[in-house]
Amino acid sequence: MKRIVVQGGSDGMGRGMGAAFLERGDEVVVIGRDERKGESFLSAAREIGAGGRAHFVRADLSLVSENRRVVREIGERLPAVDVLVLCARHFLSERRETAEGFEYTFALFYLSRFLLGHDLRGLLEKGERPVIMNVAGPGSPMGEIQWDDLGFERNYDGLAAQMQGGKANDLLGVSFAERYGSGPIRYVLFNPGSVSTGFSGEYDEMTRFHVEAMKRSAKPVEAGIKPIIATIDNPPAEPLSAFVEGRRMDLVGESFEPRHARRLDEVTRELLSR
């Protein structure tokens, strides 16, 4: 039995993976912001006799303080973590700052994943064949890190903010593996392709039109999560790997440049120390 934590696990692909893990006998902690969806997950678990192995932690993961609380709570519930799945994101057509002063997309899509991965490392190192599965869009040719304006205070664009988050997660994987690669944790970056998830977000009219078109042509959640779960169960031996729809990627190009990864790691730690 694996002990699995799913960030963004009360909806979409996270919910699908959480349910699949429970059905096969694992213990699952899902983290989400919607109490109603969390209770729905727990109710479904009870219906299949898995109520004792299902947990829901309600949290606003755009807040640094909430991520740190979640880490403490998981430490109180579990003696070890075998798998950490990172898949929470929320699109905003209009810029928003969190109560802690971070741009929302940067905070949820990147900072939360940074915090959970690093702060749960101790529990992961106690797990059996531990894996961090970061579901994003590794190696995308789109997007770049806005080094002089990470919070998009100038010329905010929702898609550009999401694309920066994807690039930041690529570099997060590189820096994590560089720092802890000699240990047992395997860090996996995974692009599932177009999947008909909840597409959580607050969209302007034009963006909503495109999202609805994507939903109609996207693969179902069950198909999208299948290669992710297979990779979790049989991770590569290397400290860092990346996949697109189950196909292995070469870790080359700007997305995986070590010096950029070190720079972002340093900037992130500085931001979090304020």
Side-chain angles (χ1 to χ4, degrees):
M1 179 183 74
K2 294 181 183 291
R3 288 156 292 198
I4 300 173
V5 176
V6 186
Q7 179 225 39
S10 58
D11 198 4
M13 294 181 67
R15 169 73 178 259
M17 282 187 275
F21 293 136
L22 285 176
E23 288 173 0
R24 71 183 198 178
D26 296 324
E27 183 171 7
V28 181
V29 178
V30 300
I31 312 166
R33 58 192 170 94
D34 191 315
E35 188 77 43
R36 179 181 56 81
K37 291 180 179 178
E39 180 52 44
S40 173
F41 174 80
L42 295 177
S43 178
R46 290 190 290 268
E47 288 179 4
I48 63 170
R53 294 183 282 105
H55 314 279
F56 171 66
V57 178
R58 184 182 180 278
D60 178 355
L61 293 174
S62 71
L63 297 174
V64 172
S65 57
E66 284 283 87
N67 282 275
R68 288 176 170 156
R69 175 183 64 81
V70 165
V71 169
R72 291 194 299 271
E73 189 165 335
I74 291 171
E76 293 168 359
R77 290 175 184 253
L78 302 177
V81 173
D82 300 297
V83 181
L84 171 62
V85 180
L86 303 169
C87 57
R89 71 171 99 185
H90 185 80
F91 186 94
L92 290 178
S93 288
E94 295 187 8
R95 186 181 186 276
R96 181 186 305 166
E97 283 192 3
T98 69
E100 297 170 337
F102 294 109
E103 189 272 315
Y104 185 92
T105 299
F106 182 76
L108 178 64
F109 192 13
Y110 169 66
L111 287 182
S112 174
R113 300 184 188 213
F114 180 98
L115 287 162
L116 292 178
H118 282 280
D119 291 357
L120 287 173
R121 180 175 62 87
L123 287 177
L124 282 158
E125 289 180 340
K126 296 176 182 177
E128 183 179 348
R129 297 183 71 196
V131 177
I132 297 178
M133 172 60 70
N134 190 333
V135 182
S140 171
M142 298 175 61
E144 60 181 335
I145 304 294
Q146 303 290 327
W147 293 107
D148 63 341
D149 188 20
L150 290 172
F152 280 89
E153 293 184 35
R154 305 182 299 275
N155 302 317
Y156 176 82
D157 176 83
L159 181 59
Q162 287 281 326
M163 292 298 100
Q164 174 179 258
K167 291 291 186 186
N169 277 293
D170 287 351
L171 297 176
L172 169 57
V174 173
S175 61
F176 190 97
E178 187 174 73
R179 186 180 289 260
Y180 305 117
S182 62
I185 300 171
R186 295 297 167 257
Y187 203 108
V188 182
L189 299 162
F190 206 102
N191 179 353
S194 182
V195 181
S196 186
T197 68
F199 285 92
S200 178
E202 299 164 42
Y203 303 101
D204 57 45
E205 186 175 349
M206 181 62 71
T207 305
R208 181 172 296 281
F209 174 82
H210 288 297
V211 166
E212 292 303 321
M214 288 172 59
K215 285 183 179 180
R216 290 192 292 271
S217 62
K219 66 173 77 76
V221 167
E222 292 77 11
I225 66 175
K226 186 176 180 179
I228 299 176
I229 294 174
T231 306
I232 286 172
D233 289 341
N234 293 286
E238 295 83 0
L240 176 67
S241 57
F243 294 82
V244 176
E245 298 184 85
R247 301 185 303 275
R248 189 81 177 262
M249 295 177 57
D250 292 329
L251 302 178
V252 297
E254 288 291 305
S255 292
F256 308 107
E257 174 55 54
R259 61 190 174 88
H260 295 330
R262 294 184 202 113
R263 180 182 181 185
L264 183 61
D265 183 80
E266 182 179 344
V267 169
T268 302
R269 292 175 186 277
E270 182 179 332
L271 288 171
L272 291 172
S273 69
R274 293 177 182 173

